[in-house]
Amino acid sequence: MSEKIQFRIRRQDTPYSPAYWQTFQVPFREGLNVVSALMMIRQNPLTTDGMKVDPVAWEFNCMEEVCGACTMLINHRPMPACSTLVDTLQQPITLEPLSKFPVIRDLMVDRSRMFADLKRVRAWIEIDGAWDIHQGAPRISPEHWRDNYLYSRCMSCGSCLEACPQYGQMLPFVGAAALAAVRLMNNHPTGKYHRKQRLHAIMVEGGLSDCGNAQNCVQVCPKEIPLTTAIGELGRETTVQMLKDLFGSAD
Amino acid sequence: MKASIHDTHFVFRRLHSLLGLLPVGGFLIFHLWENSQSRFGQTHYNDQVVGWLQQLNYLTLLEIFLIALPLLFHALYGLVILYNGKSNLSVYPWQGNLRYTLQRFSGIAVLLFLLLHVGWTRIWAIWEPAIKADLFAHMQGLLIQPSVFLLYLTGLLVSVFHLTNGLWSMAISWGVTTSPRAQSICLGICAFLAVLLSAMGVHGMLGFLP
């Protein structure tokens, strides 16, 4: 039982300092995941060169793949560190922070742009205003509910954005996560009252038309959200909305 | 609120997409069909194919408004779009991502090829009336050189790829295909169209050879 797991970890002390690499070893254990391996490194932050270093900083919270906080590049692909088992990975296991967001420290990144983009596309539901928007609880068919549920699983982990060739710190595109949120909110019985405003919010620079259909997003999404279906459906809705804007319509 | 049309970005992207098919893509299909008739010989090609086109009224206006201007907009706006992405094929070597990357490279390749192709035929013919009079002989003189033939073959294949892959992408952007199944069937149809158009183009090129 003396099997060891090797980790190569990209470290960065401050948002402005240069990155460097360190190698760590942890003893293998049945069912070991990346977060628990990082916890073992934190207990004994000794590199393979025998140097005592600062413990590796990273974020984690739910430990059941619903919060998205521990998403990092594991062997160069975005994955949630909590649900990624060490057995399934090729060694040495490389850990890096997501590359599309500013690094705070080591494996911690600042994903606040994701939330700014959710606000930008009005990814919320207004339940009251000057008057009641709906009367009584809105009813929804099981089929409709089932389709919407797929999109409600998004945990804003940023994997889709990491893999997207159109998304970047210097690029305006909001990415698949925010677009799928528009798909979800526009199909909610109360949310659809602001359908047009959300469509207009994505019919601008950085919106839907910045998608290049590389379809990496749907492949890396850990929650298996049909992101490219949402993009196609929004394509249809914005086509109709554009015709309404150009030629006029009561709606 | 007419936000979507007051913000030109969305309309320009959709216009770029639409012009790629109509008239630019439509013209490519017509052009390949037209030149596939080279196999019927010099006289037929010069008199029936080129001759018929050249006797059309308002031909210059058609060339400017149906070919040159839409193509120019599609090409120049395409260059703008290039700046909005960064290929990551080495990390994610998947076929969708490969086509995304090839779509961008083929766009540049088609643009370079067209500068040469239009220069060698349409532009050169402005000073050299002999080219217009016997286009078949002119094309034969070009294509008989193996390097030019290879260049034309490359130009043909990248153009056909750019059109058919663009058509697949366009179907998603405009919301024609939404489900993964519809997108996959559409990819099959576009691939079939690519083979068909390539065959037609190669057939036309071979027809010019003696």
Side-chain angles (χ1 to χ4, degrees):
Chain A
M1 290 306 286
S2 61
E3 212 185 327
K4 297 270 190 190
I5 309 293
Q6 267 219 350
F7 281 93
R8 271 187 84 232
I9 301 177
R10 191 178 192 267
R11 315 261 338 236
Q12 187 173 331
D13 297 339
T14 74
Y16 310 105
S17 60
Y20 56 96
W21 290 87
Q22 280 177 346
T23 314
F24 299 88
Q25 265 185 348
V26 296
F28 178 72
R29 207 178 59 207
E30 201 69 36
L32 189 70
N33 63 43
V34 174
V35 168
S36 39
L38 280 169
M39 285 171 163
M40 286 157 86
I41 293 171
R42 183 169 65 181
Q43 278 173 10
N44 184 25
L46 204 65
T47 67
T48 44
D49 310 331
M51 195 167 51
K52 186 102 178 156
V53 293
D54 285 337
V56 179
W58 86 98
E59 280 186 306
F60 72 100
N61 187 24
C62 72
M63 291 300 285
E64 55 179 3
E65 203 193 82
V66 292
C67 78
C70 66
T71 304
M72 57 182 72
L73 291 179
I74 302 175
N75 286 347
H76 314 299
R77 296 268 172 84
M79 287 187 231
C82 63
S83 59
T84 303
L85 298 179
V86 164
D87 305 51
T88 60
L89 299 167
Q90 212 178 2
Q91 284 194 57
I93 298 164
T94 307
L95 302 182
E96 293 159 272
L98 294 176
S99 69
K100 299 285 177 82
F101 303 96
V103 174
I104 299 170
R105 182 172 182 174
D106 295 338
L107 303 171
M108 279 174 73
V109 293
D110 176 7
R111 270 175 292 200
S112 44
R113 182 179 162 196
M114 284 192 76
F115 299 98
D117 284 340
L118 284 174
K119 286 184 212 160
R120 197 177 145 191
V121 302
R122 297 178 67 101
W124 66 83
I125 287 165
E126 276 161 45
I127 52 167
D128 51 24
W131 62 89
D132 271 350
I133 283 177
H134 63 83
Q135 296 187 331
R139 305 296 294 174
I140 191 168
S141 76
E143 290 81 11
H144 195 155
W145 175 84
R146 187 194 60 205
D147 290 347
N148 287 352
Y149 179 70
L150 298 177
Y151 297 99
S152 73
R153 294 182 300 181
C154 178
M155 53 187 187
S156 296
C157 69
S159 295
C160 54
L161 309 176
E162 179 65 30
C164 176
Q166 294 284 107
Y167 188 89
Q169 288 189 38
M170 305 306 285
L171 298 172
F173 187 37
V174 296
L179 294 175
V182 171
R183 156 66 180 78
L184 175 66
M185 302 299 164
N186 275 3
N187 283 278
H188 184 279
T190 309
K192 69 179 173 215
Y193 287 98
H194 294 92
R195 196 178 148 273
K196 190 166 85 174
Q197 281 92 327
R198 285 189 207 97
L199 290 180
H200 280 154
I202 59 168
M203 292 166 82
V204 294
E205 185 175 18
L208 180 71
S209 58
D210 286 34
C211 170
N213 293 316
Q215 302 200 332
N216 291 348
C217 52
V218 76
Q219 304 235 33
V220 296
C221 178
K223 306 307 284 181
E224 295 175 356
I225 299 169
L227 296 165
T228 49
T229 307
I231 287 169
E233 288 177 9
L234 290 173
R236 188 176 298 173
E237 286 185 42
T238 49
T239 299
V240 173
Q241 188 60 49
M242 181 176 62
L243 293 175
K244 286 177 176 174
D245 291 345
L246 282 169
F247 302 110
S249 160
D251 178 22
Chain B
M1 199 164 100
K2 300 279 187 279
S4 73
I5 44 177
H6 287 161
D7 185 306
T8 50
H9 182 87
F10 185 81
V11 176
F12 270 36
R13 287 289 174 114
R14 285 293 171 98
L15 190 64
H16 171 259
S17 172
L18 183 67
L19 290 178
L21 177 65
L22 288 175
V24 177
F27 173 72
L28 176 64
I29 297 173
F30 170 76
H31 191 56
L32 296 180
W33 170 77
E34 173 202 349
N35 287 327
S36 72
Q37 298 169 71
S38 59
R39 68 177 293 252
F40 297 113
Q42 188 164 14
T43 327
H44 178 88
Y45 183 80
N46 281 342
D47 299 349
Q48 303 294 314
V49 183
V50 182
W52 174 78
L53 275 170
Q54 281 173 354
Q55 56 82 39
L56 285 178
N57 293 324
Y58 312 117
L59 181 62
T60 311
L61 289 179
L62 293 179
E63 281 180 320
I64 291 172
F65 289 104
L66 283 183
I67 308 171
L69 289 181
L71 185 63
L72 206 63
F73 178 84
H74 187 78
L76 295 181
Y77 198 70
L79 292 178
V80 174
I81 291 177
L82 276 181
Y83 281 97
N84 272 314
K86 192 167 177 287
S87 172
N88 53 14
L89 194 58
S90 56
V91 191
Y92 309 98
W94 300 322
Q95 64 96 4
N97 202 21
L98 175 69
R99 284 185 291 105
Y100 165 89
T101 307
L102 286 179
Q103 187 68 4
R104 275 135 187 88
F105 280 116
S106 63
I108 300 170
V110 172
L111 182 59
L112 294 176
F113 173 71
L114 283 185
L115 288 176
L116 209 63
H117 175 55
V118 175
W120 271 348
T121 51
R122 188 67 186 83
I123 307 291
W124 197 357
I126 297 172
W127 293 280
E128 192 62 64
I131 293 175
K132 238 180 190 170
D134 191 354
L135 193 61
F136 189 93
H138 178 68
M139 289 316 296
Q140 189 171 67
L142 285 172
L143 290 174
I144 207 157
Q145 306 164 56
S147 55
V148 178
F149 190 88
L150 204 68
L151 183 77
Y152 264 66
L153 186 66
T154 314
L156 167 74
L157 295 180
V158 291
S159 305
V160 168
F161 171 82
H162 193 81
L163 169 63
T164 50
N165 188 54
L167 199 59
W168 174 83
S169 186
M170 186 182 175
I172 301 171
S173 303
W174 288 77
V176 178
T177 55
T178 62
S179 69
R181 185 170 154 72
Q183 291 172 7
S184 145
I185 292 172
C186 180
L187 187 62
I189 295 171
C190 289
F192 176 72
L193 191 66
V195 172
L196 199 74
L197 290 176
S198 303
M200 198 156 83
V202 172
H203 179 76
M205 280 169 61
L206 292 175
F208 284 112
L209 298 178

